[in-house]
Amino acid sequence: MTNKPQSLYIHIPFCEHICTYCDFTKLFYFGKYEKDYLDSLIKEIESYHINKVKTLYFGGGTPTALSDAGFERILTFAKQYLADDYEFTVEANVENLTESKLLIMKKVGVNRLSIGVQSTNDKLLKEIGRNHTFEDAKRVISLAKGLGFDNINIDLIYGFKRQSLRQLKKDLANFIELDIDHISIYSLIVEPGSILYTKGVKEQREGPSRKFYEVILKTLRANGYERYEISNFARNGKYSRHNMTYWKNQEYYGCGLGASGFVSGNRYTNTKSLREYNNLNFVKENSPVSPEENLEYYLITNFRMEQGFSRQEFKQKFGRDFEDLFGDKIKRFFLTNLIDITPDRIKLTDEGLLLMDFVILKLM
């Protein structure tokens, strides 16, 4: 068994338009940038001397914003790093998930799609800068299913200040009707650098946001979706194997403009300058993770999961039992029903997940 990372993330920064809430590393797509970027990206991936990985994830930006030729080129190149039992995910926007892109993905072995639907309310979609309607989303999902894609995730954003509970329930009903096995839900966060931030848009207050989340949790559970991570719900065991790498605080390669990675005990972040990246100066920051930071990362990530983490694994990683390490600090969490400790596992309760930041702050 190799000690090398078993997951590879590849960032495609290009977008045909910029959504108002987005603060990820992204660039407007121009064809003249594509070849140089992909040339540099391939060189970076090759520099890690990767053997095989179990999960491969193309994110962005918008991977499907690439030309068909560029899209097929980079997917075909990356496929060589996949082990036999793999998960190969590509993120896509509704408006450029064409039949030709889907056929390319089918050809190279992509077996999981993540589609940014975000809402089923056309007025709200327009407000957040999405260039598709809900009818467009239904058509694309139907096309993907018809071509044999049976592992599909769709994203839902909630918590817009003017969004009503009735609108949220309508979104959920429409999402469930799509008969998709995986749904990711995200509360709107107005990040510095996003268009919403420059417009002075405010996030939903904590009280209503919590109510919205509780409605989402109750509705999806009642319709056969298991919450396996605080923002992710799946039916039929269709967990995201790649994202489980992050939530278990495991190492992974991160390649591309602005990408982050965790390799050989070091966390690194790539440059966000396309000029620097194309000059093959990939990494902007690189630092070893201290034992204290590793413990904090472990709690922040593993506590996000419904099943928490194994007591045995914790002791193997940190040399002490969880209770011995934190002692009296966890007693108050029992009294307030925030944490659940069994003979095998340690996890947060439903209430504890809602207050996860508070729990970790008090533990650390």
Side-chain angles (χ1 to χ4, degrees):
M1 180 69 180
T2 179
N3 289 323
K4 285 191 170 185
Q6 297 293 292
S7 295
L8 168 61
Y9 172 80
I10 297 176
H11 191 76
I12 304 297
F14 303 118
C15 292
E16 292 179 346
H17 66 279
I18 305 300
C19 298
T20 59
Y21 55 85
C22 180
D23 74 325
F24 294 131
T25 303
K26 71 274 184 185
L27 301 166
F28 277 115
Y29 174 77
F30 293 102
K32 64 181 181 179
Y33 295 149
E34 181 178 285
K35 182 181 183 301
D36 287 346
Y37 179 73
L38 295 182
D39 287 347
S40 301
L41 180 59
I42 286 171
K43 287 185 172 69
E44 185 194 5
I45 296 169
E46 289 176 334
S47 74
Y48 284 104
H49 304 289
I50 299 167
N51 293 330
K52 294 290 183 180
V53 294
K54 294 179 180 178
T55 72
L56 172 59
Y57 193 108
F58 274 82
T62 313
T64 47
L66 294 170
S67 69
D68 284 4
F71 189 64
E72 184 168 1
R73 177 193 176 196
I74 191 61
L75 264 61
T76 301
F77 170 81
K79 182 186 177 181
Q80 67 182 295
Y81 296 107
L82 284 169
D84 291 337
D85 179 25
Y86 68 82
E87 178 191 84
F88 188 172
T89 303
V90 174
E91 288 183 355
N93 278 350
V94 170
E95 65 268 25
N96 48 37
L97 185 55
T98 59
E99 183 173 6
S100 61
K101 289 287 196 318
L102 286 164
L103 289 171
I104 289 168
M105 286 189 277
K106 203 67 184 171
K107 175 183 174 182
V108 301
V110 172
N111 57 12
R112 185 173 184 272
L113 300 178
S114 183
I115 304 173
V117 177
Q118 315 305 0
S119 175
T120 67
N121 183 302
D122 289 347
K123 183 178 179 181
L124 183 56
L125 286 169
K126 187 174 182 179
E127 286 180 5
I128 63 177
R130 305 298 290 189
N131 284 357
H132 71 266
T133 64
F134 181 48
E135 283 300 318
D136 294 332
K138 289 195 290 186
R139 175 184 53 78
V140 164
I141 290 168
S142 177
L143 178 61
K145 286 182 175 181
L147 291 173
F149 289 95
D150 62 358
N151 192 359
I152 300 174
N153 168 67
I154 52 177
D155 293 340
L156 169 68
I157 295 181
Y158 72 97
F160 296 91
K161 195 167 184 180
R162 289 187 292 172
Q163 185 182 26
S164 68
L165 198 55
R166 182 184 61 80
Q167 288 173 328
L168 174 68
K169 290 178 178 179
K170 181 64 174 176
D171 270 348
L172 290 170
N174 286 335
F175 267 43
I176 291 164
E177 193 173 329
L178 290 172
D179 192 28
I180 295 295
D181 282 337
H182 196 287
I183 298 175
S184 298
I185 60 103
Y186 302 103
S187 174
L188 176 70
I189 298 176
V190 180
E191 298 279 10
S194 68
I195 296 172
L196 289 182
Y197 182 85
T198 62
K199 288 183 175 181
V201 174
K202 304 297 182 183
E203 297 168 9
Q204 192 177 44
R205 297 192 311 276
E206 183 176 347
S209 181
R210 173 171 174 154
K211 175 64 175 176
F212 274 36
Y213 183 85
E214 289 172 344
V215 168
I216 291 168
L217 179 61
K218 181 179 180 181
T219 303
L220 292 182
R221 278 178 170 171
N223 284 276
Y225 290 88
E226 175 190 359
R227 180 182 64 181
Y228 69 100
E229 190 271 344
I230 193 168
S231 298
N232 287 271
F233 297 76
R235 297 188 310 189
N236 304 317
K238 294 283 182 68
Y239 300 169
S240 168
R241 289 168 55 190
H242 182 86
N243 287 337
M244 293 285 278
T245 299
Y246 307 145
W247 301 325
K248 290 184 176 181
N249 196 39
Q250 296 171 346
E251 295 193 348
Y252 62 96
Y253 301 103
C255 296
L257 193 72
S260 297
F262 181 24
V263 178
S264 300
N266 291 277
R267 289 190 180 272
Y268 65 88
T269 304
N270 280 355
T271 179
K272 294 184 178 182
S273 164
L274 185 61
R275 182 189 299 273
E276 282 294 301
Y277 190 83
N278 284 342
N279 284 332
L280 309 186
N281 298 317
F282 304 124
V283 177
K284 180 72 171 179
E285 299 176 0
N286 186 18
S287 59
V289 178
S290 69
E292 294 78 17
E293 289 172 328
N294 194 40
L295 174 60
E296 186 173 1
Y297 277 124
Y298 185 88
L299 295 178
I300 289 172
T301 53
N302 280 267
F303 266 148
R304 293 182 62 88
M305 292 192 294
E306 179 89 4
Q307 296 303 315
F309 51 88
S310 159
R311 292 170 63 125
Q312 182 181 3
E313 178 189 83
F314 186 90
K315 187 171 184 178
Q316 288 174 343
K317 283 182 174 290
F318 302 107
R320 295 177 64 183
D321 289 326
F322 180 80
E323 295 97 321
D324 291 342
L325 187 59
F326 292 106
D328 291 340
K329 288 185 177 181
I330 59 174
K331 289 183 179 178
R332 64 185 298 182
F333 300 138
F334 280 115
L335 295 174
T336 52
N337 192 34
L338 299 181
I339 198 167
D340 182 21
I341 298 181
T342 69
D344 300 318
R345 305 194 68 81
I346 298 162
K347 64 177 184 177
L348 297 181
T349 63
D350 282 353
E351 180 71 13
L353 277 167
L354 291 172
L355 298 172
M356 182 179 65
D357 291 345
F358 168 77
V359 172
I360 293 171
L361 178 65
K362 293 301 181 183
L363 287 177
M364 301 306 294

